Amino acid sequence: MNKEEFMRKAIALSIENVAKGGGPFGAVIVKDGEIIATGVNRVTSTCDPTAHAEISAIRAAAKALGTFNLSGCEIYTSCEPCPMCFGAIYWARLDKIYYANTKTDAKDIGFDDSFIYDELELKPADRKLQSEPLLREEALKAFEEWTKNMDKIEY
């Protein structure tokens, strides 16, 4: 299969998911020219706000490959990733993102992530979602233990 065929698969998944009552998003993860995982938006069907197509595909790919490091893989997604999925793609170390619809296309149908990008630019005290540091000195113990642990698996 070529890039266009992989993207057509992601788009087909998104259309099929709408027909099943889900969100209009689909994703395909490819390694060495083979599809190793797919995902669709399952936010409402699973009552999980993190169950976006890209996250679902990443979880399936990691399970299929037995690793959290998806280097050597590419993701084809029917829409430009939201901030959460974009971060997950980076953390999974995927080599490349291909996307069809843009974040503006998504915004036009009610999936507007721009407020998150705007919030990230603000100091925590100025964000709409209030946050407050609490018990940092106690929490640093875990970081100290991590630093000392010679058997840790870095990611």
Side-chain angles (χ1 to χ4, degrees):
M1 294 177 72
N2 62 32
K3 292 188 293 190
E4 289 77 13
E5 291 170 309
F6 292 132
M7 183 57 76
R8 285 188 184 103
K9 175 67 175 172
I11 293 167
L13 287 168
S14 71
I15 294 168
E16 291 168 17
N17 203 48
V18 170
K20 294 177 181 175
F25 305 99
V28 171
I29 295 182
V30 174
K31 182 174 179 123
D32 299 326
E34 298 289 328
I35 295 174
I36 58 163
T38 64
V40 294
N41 183 286
R42 291 189 174 97
V43 170
T44 56
S45 66
T46 62
C47 297
D48 179 355
T50 69
H52 290 199
E54 298 90 339
I55 302 290
S56 297
I58 288 169
R59 289 174 179 160
K63 184 175 182 181
L65 295 175
T67 181
F68 57 84
N69 185 333
L70 300 181
S71 296
C73 298
E74 300 173 331
I75 188 165
Y76 294 78
T77 179
S78 64
C79 187
E80 187 174 0
C82 74
M84 175 183 68
C85 293
F86 195 63
I89 289 166
Y90 268 93
W91 279 115
R93 296 184 178 52
L94 289 154
D95 290 355
K96 190 165 185 177
I97 303 168
Y98 295 93
Y99 62 90
N101 292 318
T102 68
K103 61 185 175 184
T104 302
D105 297 329
K107 180 179 180 177
D108 290 344
I109 64 163
F111 293 93
D112 185 5
D113 300 319
S114 60
F115 74 98
I116 297 172
Y117 290 108
D118 294 341
E119 287 284 298
L120 288 171
E121 295 298 318
L122 300 173
K123 294 177 186 172
D126 296 331
R127 295 177 182 158
K128 290 178 185 153
L129 180 60
Q130 293 182 1
S131 62
E132 177 182 339
L134 188 63
L135 300 177
R136 178 176 177 262
E137 293 302 318
E138 291 180 33
L140 283 173
K141 176 133 177 80
F143 285 10
E144 292 165 3
E145 294 299 317
W146 171 261
T147 302
K148 291 189 283 187
N149 184 352
M150 297 304 203
D151 297 326
K152 66 183 168 240
I153 299 171
E154 295 193 28
Y155 56 96

